Amino acid sequence: MSVPLKAREMLKEIHVVNGREYCCYIKGNCSDDRTADLVFFNGLFSGASSWAYQTRMPALLKHYRLVMFDYPCQGGSAAVTEGMTAFDLLQELTVLLTQLRVKKPLLIGHSVGGMLGGIMA
């Protein structure tokens, strides 16, 4: 997409990593001239919707592409049917961010999302 999304417009995409579906939400400036991508890591039991307030801030929407996703077993993402470690999740999230073509990521997280984002950084 070459222009910023409208303030209320949000893209919902399903991406598959290692056979597991991740539900992703994208909002804001999707053009190549965006400043960077803000990647939001939610808490363990909160899902991507926990970032609803931040996704309404006009300054963020104008300059950044906001990227949120549901972890496995959250929101629109697939359930986990076999064992999965935090390391497995980090590897899959790295692939997911590559699939989403994240540019100059700024990682933001709370709770377990803060830990995951910190390790990924």
PDB file of all heavy atoms in Angstrom, residues 12 15 24 27 32 38 50 57 61 65 67-68 70 74 84 97 112:
ATOM      1  N   LYS A  12      -6.406  -6.483   8.499  1.00  0.00           N
ATOM      2  CA  LYS A  12      -6.300  -7.737   9.250  1.00  0.00           C
ATOM      3  C   LYS A  12      -5.776  -8.771   8.275  1.00  0.00           C
ATOM      4  O   LYS A  12      -6.356  -8.967   7.204  1.00  0.00           O
ATOM      5  CB  LYS A  12      -7.661  -8.146   9.805  1.00  0.00           C
ATOM      6  CG  LYS A  12      -7.632  -9.444  10.574  1.00  0.00           C
ATOM      7  CD  LYS A  12      -9.020  -9.786  11.105  1.00  0.00           C
ATOM      8  CE  LYS A  12      -9.028 -11.131  11.768  1.00  0.00           C
ATOM      9  NZ  LYS A  12     -10.372 -11.490  12.227  1.00  0.00           N
ATOM     10  N   HIS A  15      -1.067 -14.683   8.650  1.00  0.00           N
ATOM     11  CA  HIS A  15       0.231 -15.130   8.146  1.00  0.00           C
ATOM     12  C   HIS A  15       0.524 -16.499   8.747  1.00  0.00           C
ATOM     13  O   HIS A  15       0.247 -16.739   9.929  1.00  0.00           O
ATOM     14  CB  HIS A  15       1.339 -14.146   8.532  1.00  0.00           C
ATOM     15  CG  HIS A  15       1.276 -12.881   7.754  1.00  0.00           C
ATOM     16  ND1 HIS A  15       2.045 -12.668   6.646  1.00  0.00           N
ATOM     17  CD2 HIS A  15       0.515 -11.769   7.908  1.00  0.00           C
ATOM     18  CE1 HIS A  15       1.775 -11.464   6.146  1.00  0.00           C
ATOM     19  NE2 HIS A  15       0.838 -10.901   6.904  1.00  0.00           N
ATOM     20  N   CYS A  24      -2.719 -10.897  12.305  1.00  0.00           N
ATOM     21  CA  CYS A  24      -1.972  -9.645  12.403  1.00  0.00           C
ATOM     22  C   CYS A  24      -2.870  -8.468  12.052  1.00  0.00           C
ATOM     23  O   CYS A  24      -3.771  -8.587  11.219  1.00  0.00           O
ATOM     24  CB  CYS A  24      -0.789  -9.665  11.443  1.00  0.00           C
ATOM     25  SG  CYS A  24       0.297 -11.075  11.674  1.00  0.00           S
ATOM     26  N   LYS A  27      -2.052  -0.833  11.016  1.00  0.00           N
ATOM     27  CA  LYS A  27      -2.745   0.447  10.980  1.00  0.00           C
ATOM     28  C   LYS A  27      -1.715   1.552  10.774  1.00  0.00           C
ATOM     29  O   LYS A  27      -0.554   1.386  11.111  1.00  0.00           O
ATOM     30  CB  LYS A  27      -3.494   0.642  12.308  1.00  0.00           C
ATOM     31  CG  LYS A  27      -4.538   1.713  12.268  1.00  0.00           C
ATOM     32  CD  LYS A  27      -5.424   1.648  13.496  1.00  0.00           C
ATOM     33  CE  LYS A  27      -6.484   2.744  13.380  1.00  0.00           C
ATOM     34  NZ  LYS A  27      -7.380   2.755  14.500  1.00  0.00           N
ATOM     35  N   ASP A  32       6.142   3.881   1.814  1.00  0.00           N
ATOM     36  CA  ASP A  32       7.585   3.690   1.957  1.00  0.00           C
ATOM     37  C   ASP A  32       8.273   4.849   2.666  1.00  0.00           C
ATOM     38  O   ASP A  32       9.397   4.720   3.119  1.00  0.00           O
ATOM     39  CB  ASP A  32       8.223   3.474   0.586  1.00  0.00           C
ATOM     40  CG  ASP A  32       7.854   2.121  -0.009  1.00  0.00           C
ATOM     41  OD1 ASP A  32       7.534   1.201   0.760  1.00  0.00           O
ATOM     42  OD2 ASP A  32       7.890   1.993  -1.245  1.00  0.00           O
ATOM     43  N   LEU A  38       6.119   0.550  14.330  1.00  0.00           N
ATOM     44  CA  LEU A  38       5.964   0.297  15.754  1.00  0.00           C
ATOM     45  C   LEU A  38       5.375  -1.102  15.893  1.00  0.00           C
ATOM     46  O   LEU A  38       4.290  -1.366  15.399  1.00  0.00           O
ATOM     47  CB  LEU A  38       5.030   1.321  16.399  1.00  0.00           C
ATOM     48  CG  LEU A  38       5.440   2.782  16.281  1.00  0.00           C
ATOM     49  CD1 LEU A  38       4.422   3.669  16.995  1.00  0.00           C
ATOM     50  CD2 LEU A  38       6.826   3.014  16.845  1.00  0.00           C
ATOM     51  N   SER A  50      -5.326  -5.085  23.178  1.00  0.00           N
ATOM     52  CA  SER A  50      -4.900  -4.304  24.347  1.00  0.00           C
ATOM     53  C   SER A  50      -4.228  -2.999  23.943  1.00  0.00           C
ATOM     54  O   SER A  50      -4.048  -2.103  24.756  1.00  0.00           O
ATOM     55  CB  SER A  50      -3.958  -5.121  25.232  1.00  0.00           C
ATOM     56  OG  SER A  50      -2.753  -5.406  24.554  1.00  0.00           O
ATOM     57  N   MET A  57      -3.917   7.325  18.119  1.00  0.00           N
ATOM     58  CA  MET A  57      -3.136   8.551  18.284  1.00  0.00           C
ATOM     59  C   MET A  57      -2.728   9.092  16.909  1.00  0.00           C
ATOM     60  O   MET A  57      -1.959   8.449  16.189  1.00  0.00           O
ATOM     61  CB  MET A  57      -1.911   8.280  19.143  1.00  0.00           C
ATOM     62  CG  MET A  57      -2.258   7.785  20.529  1.00  0.00           C
ATOM     63  SD  MET A  57      -0.805   7.343  21.459  1.00  0.00           S
ATOM     64  CE  MET A  57      -0.974   8.468  22.804  1.00  0.00           C
ATOM     65  N   LEU A  61      -0.261   7.476  13.827  1.00  0.00           N
ATOM     66  CA  LEU A  61      -0.863   7.033  12.567  1.00  0.00           C
ATOM     67  C   LEU A  61      -0.260   7.761  11.367  1.00  0.00           C
ATOM     68  O   LEU A  61      -0.134   7.185  10.286  1.00  0.00           O
ATOM     69  CB  LEU A  61      -2.378   7.245  12.598  1.00  0.00           C
ATOM     70  CG  LEU A  61      -3.124   6.417  13.632  1.00  0.00           C
ATOM     71  CD1 LEU A  61      -4.566   6.878  13.730  1.00  0.00           C
ATOM     72  CD2 LEU A  61      -3.043   4.944  13.309  1.00  0.00           C
ATOM     73  N   ARG A  65       3.863   2.929  10.778  1.00  0.00           N
ATOM     74  CA  ARG A  65       2.964   1.797  10.553  1.00  0.00           C
ATOM     75  C   ARG A  65       2.924   1.042  11.871  1.00  0.00           C
ATOM     76  O   ARG A  65       3.967   0.695  12.436  1.00  0.00           O
ATOM     77  CB  ARG A  65       3.490   0.896   9.436  1.00  0.00           C
ATOM     78  CG  ARG A  65       2.557  -0.283   9.162  1.00  0.00           C
ATOM     79  CD  ARG A  65       2.996  -1.072   7.955  1.00  0.00           C
ATOM     80  NE  ARG A  65       4.181  -1.852   8.285  1.00  0.00           N
ATOM     81  CZ  ARG A  65       4.458  -3.036   7.756  1.00  0.00           C
ATOM     82  NH1 ARG A  65       3.664  -3.565   6.855  1.00  0.00           N
ATOM     83  NH2 ARG A  65       5.551  -3.670   8.104  1.00  0.00           N
ATOM     84  N   VAL A  67       2.040  -2.239  13.938  1.00  0.00           N
ATOM     85  CA  VAL A  67       1.928  -3.677  13.689  1.00  0.00           C
ATOM     86  C   VAL A  67       1.618  -4.372  15.013  1.00  0.00           C
ATOM     87  O   VAL A  67       2.366  -4.234  15.981  1.00  0.00           O
ATOM     88  CB  VAL A  67       3.242  -4.238  13.094  1.00  0.00           C
ATOM     89  CG1 VAL A  67       3.145  -5.740  12.907  1.00  0.00           C
ATOM     90  CG2 VAL A  67       3.597  -3.535  11.790  1.00  0.00           C
ATOM     91  N   MET A  68       0.490  -5.072  15.045  1.00  0.00           N
ATOM     92  CA  MET A  68       0.087  -5.838  16.223  1.00  0.00           C
ATOM     93  C   MET A  68      -0.244  -7.257  15.769  1.00  0.00           C
ATOM     94  O   MET A  68      -0.581  -7.472  14.614  1.00  0.00           O
ATOM     95  CB  MET A  68      -1.142  -5.197  16.880  1.00  0.00           C
ATOM     96  CG  MET A  68      -0.866  -3.814  17.427  1.00  0.00           C
ATOM     97  SD  MET A  68      -2.234  -2.679  17.191  1.00  0.00           S
ATOM     98  CE  MET A  68      -2.220  -2.407  15.449  1.00  0.00           C
ATOM     99  N   ASP A  70      -1.736 -11.346  17.348  1.00  0.00           N
ATOM    100  CA  ASP A  70      -2.161 -12.220  18.444  1.00  0.00           C
ATOM    101  C   ASP A  70      -1.187 -13.385  18.521  1.00  0.00           C
ATOM    102  O   ASP A  70      -0.844 -13.985  17.499  1.00  0.00           O
ATOM    103  CB  ASP A  70      -3.575 -12.760  18.192  1.00  0.00           C
ATOM    104  CG  ASP A  70      -4.646 -11.690  18.314  1.00  0.00           C
ATOM    105  OD1 ASP A  70      -4.515 -10.817  19.184  1.00  0.00           O
ATOM    106  OD2 ASP A  70      -5.620 -11.749  17.543  1.00  0.00           O
ATOM    107  N   GLN A  74      -4.537 -16.909  21.036  1.00  0.00           N
ATOM    108  CA  GLN A  74      -5.152 -15.622  21.364  1.00  0.00           C
ATOM    109  C   GLN A  74      -5.900 -15.105  20.143  1.00  0.00           C
ATOM    110  O   GLN A  74      -5.462 -15.298  19.013  1.00  0.00           O
ATOM    111  CB  GLN A  74      -4.101 -14.566  21.724  1.00  0.00           C
ATOM    112  CG  GLN A  74      -3.468 -14.726  23.053  1.00  0.00           C
ATOM    113  CD  GLN A  74      -2.528 -13.566  23.342  1.00  0.00           C
ATOM    114  OE1 GLN A  74      -2.021 -12.913  22.451  1.00  0.00           O
ATOM    115  NE2 GLN A  74      -2.289 -13.323  24.619  1.00  0.00           N
ATOM    116  N   MET A  84       5.227 -25.862  22.839  1.00  0.00           N
ATOM    117  CA  MET A  84       5.851 -24.672  22.260  1.00  0.00           C
ATOM    118  C   MET A  84       6.572 -23.927  23.371  1.00  0.00           C
ATOM    119  O   MET A  84       5.986 -23.625  24.408  1.00  0.00           O
ATOM    120  CB  MET A  84       4.793 -23.778  21.621  1.00  0.00           C
ATOM    121  CG  MET A  84       5.347 -22.556  20.948  1.00  0.00           C
ATOM    122  SD  MET A  84       4.004 -21.634  20.165  1.00  0.00           S
ATOM    123  CE  MET A  84       4.941 -20.675  19.003  1.00  0.00           C
ATOM    124  N   LEU A  97       7.672 -11.129  11.477  1.00  0.00           N
ATOM    125  CA  LEU A  97       8.030  -9.740  11.207  1.00  0.00           C
ATOM    126  C   LEU A  97       8.712  -9.593   9.848  1.00  0.00           C
ATOM    127  O   LEU A  97       8.541  -8.578   9.169  1.00  0.00           O
ATOM    128  CB  LEU A  97       8.907  -9.187  12.328  1.00  0.00           C
ATOM    129  CG  LEU A  97       8.245  -9.108  13.704  1.00  0.00           C
ATOM    130  CD1 LEU A  97       9.191  -8.488  14.729  1.00  0.00           C
ATOM    131  CD2 LEU A  97       6.932  -8.350  13.657  1.00  0.00           C
ATOM    132  N   VAL A 112       4.572 -10.077  29.472  1.00  0.00           N
ATOM    133  CA  VAL A 112       5.442 -11.033  28.763  1.00  0.00           C
ATOM    134  C   VAL A 112       5.860 -10.472  27.405  1.00  0.00           C
ATOM    135  O   VAL A 112       6.928 -10.792  26.897  1.00  0.00           O
ATOM    136  CB  VAL A 112       4.758 -12.418  28.630  1.00  0.00           C
ATOM    137  CG1 VAL A 112       3.670 -12.403  27.573  1.00  0.00           C
ATOM    138  CG2 VAL A 112       5.761 -13.493  28.320  1.00  0.00           C
TER     139      VAL A 112
END
